[in-house]
Amino acid sequence: QLIDVQKLYILLIITSFCISTYTVFQYVGILASKNPLYQFTGPFNNPNVTAIILTLCVPAHISILLSQKKIRILLTISLALTFVALMVLQCRTAFAGLLIIALLYLLNKGQLAYINNHRKALIGIILIAVVSFAYLQTQKTASTNGRALIWKITIDMIKDHPFNGSGYGFFQ
C-alpha cells in the first residue's frame, strides 16, 4: 500500500509540474489566458481553481522530497516552480492553505521526530506562505477592502439579530 501512495504522490507532483509550467508560460507570454477577466489562469478558466490544485499537491512534493534523495534536485525545482506559479496566480486562499498545511505538519503529534529532523523545511514553508499572503494583501487592496466591508456588515447584522437572523435577501 505504501507503494500505491508513493505512485499517487508522483502523479500529483507531475500534475503540479505541468500546471505550474502552463501557468508560468502564461506569465512569460507563451500561452494565453483561458479567461478574458484574468491575465493568468493556468489550464483552467479560474486562477483560484488552479492555485488550489497546486496547493493540494504541495504535501506530495514535501513527502517525496524528504524521502527520496535520488531525485531531490528535480523535486526542489518542481516545488519552486509551483511556488512561482502560485505567486503569479495571486490567490490568497492558496497561501492560507499552505500555511494550514505547514501547521498540520507541525501539529501532527506522531511526527515529532520528523519535525525535528526537517524543521528548516517546515519553517521555510511557513515563512513563504506568510510573506506571500502579506504581499498579496497589498496587491489586491480593492478585493481585500471589499471583503473586510462584507465581514463588518455581517458582524453588525449578527449583533442586531443574533438568534433569528435578518432573513433571506437582507444582505444586499
Side-chain angles (χ1 to χ4, degrees):
Q1 186 172 354
L2 181 62
I3 293 172
D4 293 338
V5 171
Q6 285 191 342
K7 286 180 183 177
L8 174 65
Y9 284 176
I10 296 296
L11 180 63
L12 289 172
I13 291 167
I14 292 168
T15 301
S16 175
F17 180 81
C18 292
I19 291 172
S20 297
T21 301
Y22 192 102
T23 304
V24 171
F25 280 0
Q26 283 180 335
Y27 180 72
V28 297
I30 295 172
L31 295 172
S33 173
K34 296 278 188 183
N35 186 329
L37 300 176
Y38 300 104
Q39 190 173 5
F40 312 113
T41 60
F44 303 101
N45 197 35
N46 186 324
N48 296 321
V49 171
T50 303
I52 296 304
I53 290 170
L54 290 175
T55 300
L56 293 173
C57 293
V58 168
H61 271 95
I62 295 168
S63 178
I64 299 296
L65 180 67
L66 296 176
S67 67
Q68 299 292 325
K69 295 182 189 239
K70 295 178 187 175
I71 56 173
R72 188 168 278 173
I73 292 172
L74 290 174
L75 290 168
T76 302
I77 291 168
S78 179
L79 187 58
L81 186 64
T82 299
F83 284 124
V84 168
L86 287 170
M87 287 302 297
V88 166
L89 294 166
Q90 296 188 351
C91 175
R92 292 170 293 205
T93 303
F95 287 99
L98 287 176
L99 187 58
I100 291 169
I101 288 167
L103 291 174
L104 287 175
Y105 269 124
L106 290 173
L107 295 175
N108 187 350
K109 292 180 183 174
Q111 298 287 332
L112 289 178
Y114 178 84
I115 291 168
N116 286 331
N117 292 334
H118 301 96
R119 190 176 311 172
K120 288 179 185 177
L122 294 172
I123 290 171
I125 291 168
I126 290 172
L127 286 174
I128 288 170
V130 168
V131 169
S132 300
F133 187 79
Y135 169 76
L136 290 176
Q137 293 295 89
T138 65
Q139 297 302 305
K140 296 175 121 182
T141 54
S143 174
T144 302
N145 292 340
R147 290 172 195 240
L149 178 63
I150 290 170
W151 277 99
K152 180 186 178 310
I153 293 169
T154 301
I155 290 169
D156 289 344
M157 289 177 74
I158 291 170
K159 285 179 185 175
D160 292 343
H161 307 282
F163 299 107
N164 295 333
S166 299
Y168 180 76
F170 283 94
F171 188 87
Q172 296 180 5

